[in-house]
Amino acid sequence: MTKFRWRVASVVAVLALLLGVFGVTIVAKAVTVGNGSVGTFEDDGNMAVDNAANLDWASVASTTAKVVDDNADSGFQGSSKEEDPANWACNTGGANPPKGNVLRAYANSRIDKSSAYLDLAWVRQDGNGDAHVNFEFDQKATDPASCPINRNPGDFMVTYDFPGGSSPANIRAWTWDGTHWNELTLATTDAAAATNSTSITDPLDNNSAVADRQFGELTLNLLAAGLPPNLVGCPGFGTLNVRSRSSGESITSALQDKLPSTAVDLSTCGTIIVHKVDDHVPANNLPGATFGLFDNAAASGAPLQTCVSLADGTCTFDKVNPDDHWVKELSAPAGYSPDPSIRAVTVGFRETKDVTTPFVDPRDTGWIRVVKQLKDPSGTPVAVADPHVLDGAAFTLYSDKNHNGSLDGGETAKLWPAETADAACTIAGAFAGTGHCDIGPVVPGAYRVHERTAPPGTTAGPDVDVSVVKSDAAHPAVFNYVNNVPALDLNLVKSGPALAHVNDTFTYTFDATTNGPRLHDIKLDELAPNRCTTPISAASGDTNKDGFLDQGETWHWTCDHTVTAGDPNPLANTAKVTGTDDFGRQVSASDNHTVVIIHPAIKVEKSGPATAHEGDKVTYTFKVTNTGDAALSDVKLNDNILGPVGTTIANLSAGASQTFTADYTIPPASSQVNNTVKACGDDPLNLEVCNHADHHLDVVHPKITIVKSGPATAHVGDIITYSFKVTNTGDNALTTVEVNDDKLGPIGTVPSLAIGASATLTKTYSVQDLPFFDNTATACGVDALALQVCDHHSHHLVPIHPNIQVEKSGPATAHVGDTVTYTFKVTN
């Protein structure tokens, strides 16, 4: 197999030979170098590519390590010496003097299989005067905030001394032996260096302006003959420390300014990445697997390196010497078995080799057997004569992720390896009649078993904790799952109307249900005789047509009954239903129902005056009474003459009464008023019952007549007698009939005067000497309704003065025997 291990010593030997062939002289110790190009890098002080075939800082910006002075501008206290790093003391004086204040530094390594170059640069605050900058490369890291550095034997340093501010640079190389810096040998061709003689811009610092002699750069050939062969290798140098000295005369001169430690990479190491997955479909990245990197095909002995797979399944060996290697899984994560394969991996110079074919760890899996058992409410096991009654029981395995003791969404376990199918089983198919079923393969661990479907007639028990261990289908772990067989349960509800009338026909209904095991051989009987006039109907409600009364079903029967006058009241009866469960246990239930036979009735009573006069306003009273044995609703009264009476009575309980009144004015020319009121109400069965009441009122017409009589004439002084005849000319007896005369005064009182009866009163009067004498008599009587009626009659009397005068004339003389004539003149 071709090896890619880069052997530095060989390369150095070849370069030394070439140098000898071309006559190049190796100069010991420090070299003064000018600008130029080493390894195609332009050291000309302008930081810009002038020749397209070469490199400069602008073209290596992405790979350059930039070291920037810290905010404190750290400096060294006066006695800090280069070779005494343990006793360095730092302060904030690194900015004084400005010529030694290093603002930033750059390091770029260009290493491949045949060459290795180190590009370095510094930028200081002031370009006036000399500059002395140390670039130290350490094998171990130092905290950037630390003043002392973590220096170890073999560490490497390059010093850049720039005397006078314009002379060519002196470049020196050193190694640390644990106590002192030992200077190495360089040739003039091993390095090139330059400073800027004009103002430039820094492409690595946002094109900031850099004044004359504030910038210096160099390139060093790390494979130079005078340098140690381990400057480039694996693991190589990883930390850069930059500082300035106060003088270039000695490496031990006082230190001046210090930049923070910065990571760099001067290594040839390769990287090997392996991947760890499980046998899931699709595969999951598997963390926690430990791998070893070996230098032999058997992967035996102590590994060169180990790594542990991360969450993404990758495991990285990151400082691998270029060569042939072998990778083996040393241990698998808990619950998995390691992949036994050994993978050969050849890694080249600074190569990252991604071994894409993953190591696959098979997952440990296990099986469980769920055995169905039954217990009655007392906890006694129920022997199942035919295990097929347990068929259909279905179980689900789940992880109680939220620890609430029940199966929630997203908690169902899945079958390995695809984990797309639920970890579940049903007592059916191959398990039918066995009373159990198996679940697997699943990942071992703590689970709970949930019964998602219980056998008919049983109640699912509580979820059961199970522990799945590594096992196979032939050797499942056995767990019992207990279902409760509920107490035998049968319920009967017999219903019918609460009320009925004689001769009504109503329907009894019978509803049977169970909350326990399903029942068969269901039979319904009426226990009281003559309660069903018609036969009991066939049962309905067997929704699944299986002949079993199941939970959730209601079996329904009916029969009719016609109420007779001979039925007891209330009419009570009882029905009984019986059934048998799958285990042969018999159960029965009964229910009774009572019908009250009601006799609704209503009575209305109307009262009012028996008599009244025309125009009188009379008041009628209406009393309505519930004389039945059931409440009445919507009770209304209506009079054929008066119309609706009172308000509607919403509810009139049995025996209750309500009274209303209404007024009526007797119309003229009426002799009697006959009217009828009707009261109606509805009983609870909406039967309307009514009653009516009549009333008769006689309209009375009381009347009295008086006739006064007496002489038409009389002599003055005559005593005359007046006669007063009072007659009841109405249709109502009169009482307290009083007769008065406007001239004569009270005449007298007749206590009572029957219809058509008369009474005569008299009174005398002494005739006065008047031209005439007119007077009026009044008769008033009170009828039975206290109405007074009167009549008047007047009389005219003329007083007379009788007087007569006789004048007699005749001859004054006559003869005897003469017949003489006398004349008599009588004058009134």
Side-chain angles (χ1 to χ4, degrees):
M1 178 183 291
T2 302
K3 296 182 180 291
F4 292 95
R5 182 187 300 272
W6 188 48
R7 308 196 186 278
V8 176
S10 299
V11 175
V12 172
V14 171
L15 291 175
L17 179 61
L18 292 175
L19 290 174
V21 170
F22 289 99
V24 177
T25 302
I26 298 176
V27 181
K29 308 303 180 182
V31 292
T32 301
V33 297
N35 59 9
S37 174
V38 175
T40 73
F41 196 93
E42 296 177 351
D43 290 286
D44 52 12
N46 65 4
M47 300 187 78
V49 176
D50 298 309
N51 187 330
N54 291 335
L55 301 173
D56 211 325
W57 294 105
S59 58
V60 297
S62 62
T63 59
T64 296
K66 180 179 180 181
V67 188
V68 181
D69 205 356
D70 54 16
N71 293 332
D73 199 3
S74 296
F76 294 94
Q77 294 183 1
S79 61
S80 296
K81 299 297 184 179
E82 177 62 45
E83 293 188 334
D84 189 17
N87 294 311
W88 286 357
C90 295
N91 59 15
T92 58
N96 189 19
K99 70 174 184 177
N101 182 22
V102 182
L103 301 179
R104 54 189 177 273
Y106 302 117
N108 178 65
S109 62
R110 295 177 287 121
I111 303 173
D112 58 27
K113 296 179 181 180
S114 59
S115 63
Y117 297 97
L118 181 61
D119 306 313
L120 302 173
W122 49 263
V123 178
R124 60 178 176 168
Q125 180 180 356
D126 190 346
N128 295 316
D130 54 357
H132 309 283
V133 182
N134 296 357
F135 292 86
E136 179 177 343
F137 294 89
D138 298 311
Q139 301 164 78
K140 295 185 179 181
T142 296
D143 186 337
S146 173
C147 181
I149 62 174
N150 187 4
R151 182 180 292 169
N152 295 273
D155 287 348
F156 172 68
M157 181 170 68
V158 177
T159 59
Y160 192 122
D161 291 304
F162 181 35
S166 61
S167 301
N170 292 324
I171 306 302
R172 304 166 80 182
W174 312 78
T175 59
W176 180 253
D177 64 5
T179 303
H180 302 287
W181 284 112
N182 298 305
E183 188 172 359
L184 303 173
T185 300
L186 291 177
T188 57
T189 56
D190 292 338
T195 61
N196 64 317
S197 58
T198 61
S199 177
I200 62 173
T201 59
D202 186 348
L204 303 179
D205 193 52
N206 298 317
N207 291 319
S208 59
V210 180
D212 296 356
R213 306 303 178 184
Q214 291 182 0
F215 167 75
E217 61 180 340
L218 75 93
T219 299
L220 177 65
N221 180 7
L222 294 177
L223 300 183
L227 299 182
N230 66 342
L231 292 184
V232 180
C234 183
F237 293 87
T239 303
L240 170 63
N241 286 286
V242 179
R243 55 195 168 273
S244 61
R245 303 190 317 278
S246 60
S247 171
E249 297 175 356
S250 172
I251 191 63
T252 61
S253 62
L255 297 177
Q256 190 174 35
D257 190 22
K258 175 182 180 295
L259 272 60
S261 294
T262 303
V264 295
D265 183 12
L266 300 184
S267 73
T268 62
C269 298
T271 299
I272 297 177
I273 302 174
V274 296
H275 298 266
K276 165 55 63 179
V277 298
D278 60 12
D279 59 345
H280 187 270
V281 179
N284 296 312
N285 295 325
L286 192 62
T290 301
F291 292 87
L293 183 69
F294 295 88
D295 59 1
N296 62 87
S300 60
L304 301 174
Q305 289 187 49
T306 60
C307 67
V308 178
S309 60
L310 303 177
D312 63 356
T314 61
C315 186
T316 303
F317 301 103
D318 58 1
K319 286 183 171 57
V320 180
N321 200 44
D323 206 342
D324 295 333
H325 298 278
W326 288 263
V327 178
K328 177 182 178 181
E329 185 175 3
L330 302 179
S331 64
Y336 292 86
S337 298
D339 186 332
S341 62
I342 298 174
R343 306 286 176 83
V345 183
T346 298
V347 62
F349 174 83
R350 282 195 171 184
E351 179 184 17
T352 296
K353 180 62 70 72
D354 191 343
V355 183
T356 57
T357 301
F359 287 82
V360 180
D361 283 359
R363 190 67 167 90
D364 295 341
T365 59
W367 289 73
I368 64 167
R369 172 166 293 174
V370 183
V371 178
K372 169 61 65 181
Q373 291 185 346
L374 303 179
K375 289 184 180 179
D376 65 17
S378 68
T380 303
V382 175
V384 178
D386 181 5
H388 282 93
V389 299
L390 303 177
D391 289 354
F395 304 92
T396 295
L397 191 68
Y398 71 97
S399 296
D400 190 12
K401 297 176 182 177
N402 57 10
H403 305 292
N404 67 351
S406 62
L407 173 59
D408 299 307
E411 292 186 338
T412 302
K414 302 296 182 179
L415 295 180
W416 194 268
E419 289 194 308
T420 55
D422 290 345
C425 70
T426 302
I427 302 180
F431 298 113
T434 66
H436 70 263
C437 63
D438 296 346
I439 300 176
V442 294
V443 175
Y447 294 93
R448 288 173 66 82
V449 174
H450 171 74
E451 185 174 27
R452 66 181 187 276
T453 303
T458 69
T459 301
D463 292 354
V464 176
D465 289 323
V466 298
S467 180
V468 178
V469 298
K470 186 176 180 180
S471 60
D472 55 30
H475 304 89
V478 178
F479 296 92
N480 294 327
Y481 193 99
V482 178
N483 276 26
N484 295 317
V485 177
L488 288 171
D489 179 81
L490 183 59
N491 305 293
L492 178 65
V493 176
K494 180 175 183 179
S495 59
L499 307 172
H501 310 109
V502 174
N503 297 322
D504 280 356
T505 297
F506 61 81
T507 299
Y508 283 117
T509 61
F510 310 85
D511 291 320
T513 59
T514 180
N515 291 315
R518 66 179 188 171
L519 302 170
H520 60 277
D521 293 340
I522 306 299
K523 183 180 179 183
L524 177 71
D525 293 302
E526 272 277 21
L527 301 184
N530 303 320
R531 293 300 186 260
C532 286
T533 305
T534 62
I536 298 175
S537 68
S540 63
D542 186 10
T543 55
N544 56 11
K545 310 298 182 185
D546 64 351
F548 287 89
L549 174 60
D550 298 301
Q551 288 189 41
E553 289 184 346
T554 299
W555 284 26
H556 183 78
W557 299 264
T558 63
C559 76
D560 292 341
H561 177 75
T562 301
V563 180
T564 68
D567 282 343
N569 190 14
L571 180 63
N573 63 339
T574 302
K576 179 180 180 181
V577 64
T578 59
T580 304
D581 76 347
D582 287 336
F583 311 109
R585 299 179 296 173
Q586 192 174 75
V587 64
S588 64
S590 60
D591 192 25
N592 55 62
H593 181 75
T594 299
V595 179
V596 176
I597 301 172
I598 60 174
H599 308 82
I602 194 170
K603 180 181 179 180
V604 63
E605 299 173 86
K606 180 178 180 182
S607 60
T611 58
H613 310 107
E614 296 178 2
D616 281 355
K617 182 168 76 174
V618 297
T619 299
Y620 289 104
T621 300
F622 305 86
K623 180 181 181 181
V624 59
T625 304
N626 184 344
T627 56
D629 53 10
L632 299 175
S633 62
D634 199 28
V635 177
K636 296 183 177 69
L637 282 73
N638 196 70
D639 189 278
N640 66 325
I641 292 178
L642 304 181
V645 176
T647 59
T648 299
I649 303 172
N651 183 276
L652 188 63
S653 58
S657 299
Q658 284 199 34
T659 301
F660 303 96
T661 62
D663 294 335
Y664 179 67
T665 300
I666 306 299
S670 57
S671 60
Q672 60 183 14
V673 177
N674 294 311
N675 57 343
T676 300
V677 65
K678 184 178 183 181
C680 294
D682 297 332
D683 75 356
L685 301 177
N686 294 320
L687 177 67
E688 185 179 60
V689 291
C690 297
N691 182 243
H692 68 275
D694 300 323
H695 184 268
H696 175 77
L697 179 145
D698 288 322
V699 181
V700 295
H701 308 80
K703 188 176 182 183
I704 192 170
T705 302
I706 184 171
V707 177
K708 178 181 181 182
S709 60
T713 60
H715 303 108
V716 173
D718 283 352
I719 301 299
I720 64 174
T721 298
Y722 283 105
S723 176
F724 302 90
K725 183 180 181 180
V726 181
T727 303
N728 184 345
T729 55
D731 54 9
N732 195 248
L734 301 175
T735 61
T736 316
V737 178
E738 295 180 345
V739 180
N740 290 282
D741 190 278
D742 64 340
K743 300 294 194 302
L744 303 181
I747 305 303
T749 300
V750 178
S752 63
L753 192 61
I755 297 171
S758 298
T760 302
L761 303 175
T762 61
K763 191 168 185 179
T764 61
Y765 173 68
S766 176
V767 178
Q768 302 295 316
D769 188 7
L770 297 170
F772 57 86
F773 183 70
D774 287 337
N775 59 346
T776 300
T778 300
C780 294
V782 180
D783 70 1
L785 302 177
L787 179 67
Q788 185 182 61
V789 292
C790 298
D791 190 38
H792 311 280
H793 194 252
S794 300
H795 183 270
H796 181 73
L797 171 70
V798 177
I800 62 173
H801 306 78
N803 190 21
I804 190 168
Q805 181 179 4
V806 179
E807 294 179 71
K808 184 177 177 183
S809 64
T813 64
H815 304 102
V816 177
D818 280 349
T819 302
V820 294
T821 303
Y822 287 97
T823 302
F824 300 88
K825 182 179 179 181
V826 180
T827 303
N828 185 352

